């Protein structure tokens, strides 16, 4: 164990509340938010954390379990294992959405509507804030998608990246987070499809038209193109979910 870890150097007050595991979670989250603990950093072993917080090892285990479920850490197995800071929050969000869809708490239609409203709101700011560098980045994703399709590689990752790059162009971090989470769900759906290069080329063409409207800063045109595109994707997703449920297949 690396004793130079930030957790070893910080003065941590012992915790003596009934729900000490929640306090441990809050303290570790605080250190992550402040940047003291960064992705890749290892937390001290359970015994050391228990000593530092003046609690039992079971309390520490419960705290680490909650942090892992929330996407702040991963628990690695083996001799060199332990708790490692790792941002898996977006995966946690997308998995939660998938579970809700499968349990029929969220429909594909609701997911499509939410995506449509979020991306259209994002688009408004992207048209206003987009820079030449942003436009180049969007063009790059389109070019990569074309290259991959031409050599027989399904370009769904490139097509996903187009929407994430569009969110970044809005210069609003909240849009970036929301779109990243939504596109994680979209990516999982697309990964379950048999490669259909005709559909992929249609998506690339739609992205090219949206980009062209952005270059001319034509919000109304870009908005209409984006809406048609997302609604069509939503219809394909509904077909996938219907087929999976017929086969009684889970989403993992």
């Amino acid at each position: 164990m690396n004793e130079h870890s930030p957790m070893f150097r910080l003065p941590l007050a012992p915790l003596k509340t009934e729900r000490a595991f929640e306090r441990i979670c809050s303290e570790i989250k605080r250190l992550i938010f402040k940047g003291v603990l960064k992705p890749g950093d290892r937390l001290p072993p359970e015994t050391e954390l228990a000593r530092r917080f003046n609690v039992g090892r079971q309390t520490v285990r419960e705290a680490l379990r909650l942090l892992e479920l929330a996407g702040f850490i991963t628990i690695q197995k083996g001799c060199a294992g332990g708790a490692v800071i790792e941002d898996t929050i977006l995966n946690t969000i997308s998995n939660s959405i998938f579970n809700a869809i499968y349990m029929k708490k969220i429909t594909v239609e609701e997911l499509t509507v939410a995506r449509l409203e979020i991306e259209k709101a994002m688009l408004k700011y992207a048209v206003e804030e987009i820079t030449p560098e942003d436009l180049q980045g969007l063009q790059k994703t389109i070019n990569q998608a074309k290259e991959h399709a031409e050599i027989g590689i399904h370009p769904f990752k490139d097509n996903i990246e187009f929407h994430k790059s569009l969110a970044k162009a809005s210069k609003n971090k909240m849009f970036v987070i929301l779109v990243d989470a939504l596109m994680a769900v979209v990516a999982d759906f697309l990964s379950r499809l048999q490669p259909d290069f005709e559909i992929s080329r249609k998506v690339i063409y739609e992205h090219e038209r949206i980009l062209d409207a952005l270059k001319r800063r034509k919000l109304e045109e870009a908005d209409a193109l984006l809406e048609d595109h997302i609604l069509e994707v939503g219809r394909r997703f509904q077909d996938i979910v219907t087929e999976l449920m017929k086969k009684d297949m889970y989403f993992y």
Side-chain angles (χ1 to χ4, degrees), residues 43-152:
L43 294 180
E46 289 180 3
T47 52
E48 175 62 18
L49 286 172
R51 186 188 68 79
R52 300 271 293 187
F53 286 112
N54 194 27
V55 297
R57 288 184 63 182
Q58 185 58 41
T59 300
V60 170
R61 289 195 190 102
E62 182 66 13
L64 295 179
R65 187 184 71 83
L66 291 178
L67 287 167
E68 184 177 31
L69 289 173
F72 286 95
I73 67 171
T74 56
I75 306 296
Q76 298 181 354
K77 306 297 183 182
C79 297
V84 180
I85 305 300
E86 184 175 345
D87 184 0
T88 61
I89 294 173
L90 289 179
N91 287 338
T92 300
I93 293 171
S94 62
N95 287 340
S96 296
I97 294 174
F98 258 137
N99 287 337
I101 290 173
Y102 192 79
M103 297 298 291
K104 299 183 180 180
K105 294 179 181 178
I106 296 176
T107 65
V108 172
E109 181 181 5
E110 288 171 332
L111 175 63
T112 300
V113 169
R115 183 187 170 195
L116 183 62
E117 294 302 319
I118 289 170
E119 289 204 48
K120 288 180 72 171
M122 167 203 73
L123 188 66
K124 174 184 174 182
Y125 290 92
V127 169
E128 295 174 355
E129 302 291 340
I130 200 162
T131 66
E133 291 75 21
D134 293 326
L135 292 170
Q136 289 173 7
L138 288 162
Q139 186 65 62
K140 182 179 178 180
T141 66
I142 291 174
N143 293 342
Q144 288 177 337
K146 287 181 176 180
E147 291 171 6
H148 285 152
E150 287 174 3
I151 61 176

Side-chain angles (χ1 to χ4, degrees), residues 1-10 43-45 48 52:
M1 177 63 205
N2 181 9
E3 294 193 2
H4 295 292
S5 167
M7 284 293 293
F8 276 104
R9 300 194 300 269
L10 291 170
L43 294 180
E48 175 62 18
R52 300 271 293 187

Side-chain angles (χ1 to χ4, degrees), residues 10 26-38:
L10 291 170
S26 297
E27 176 65 6
I28 293 175
K29 286 180 185 178
R30 183 182 69 83
L31 296 175
I32 293 172
F33 295 149
K34 290 186 67 175
V36 176
L37 291 173
K38 300 178 177 63

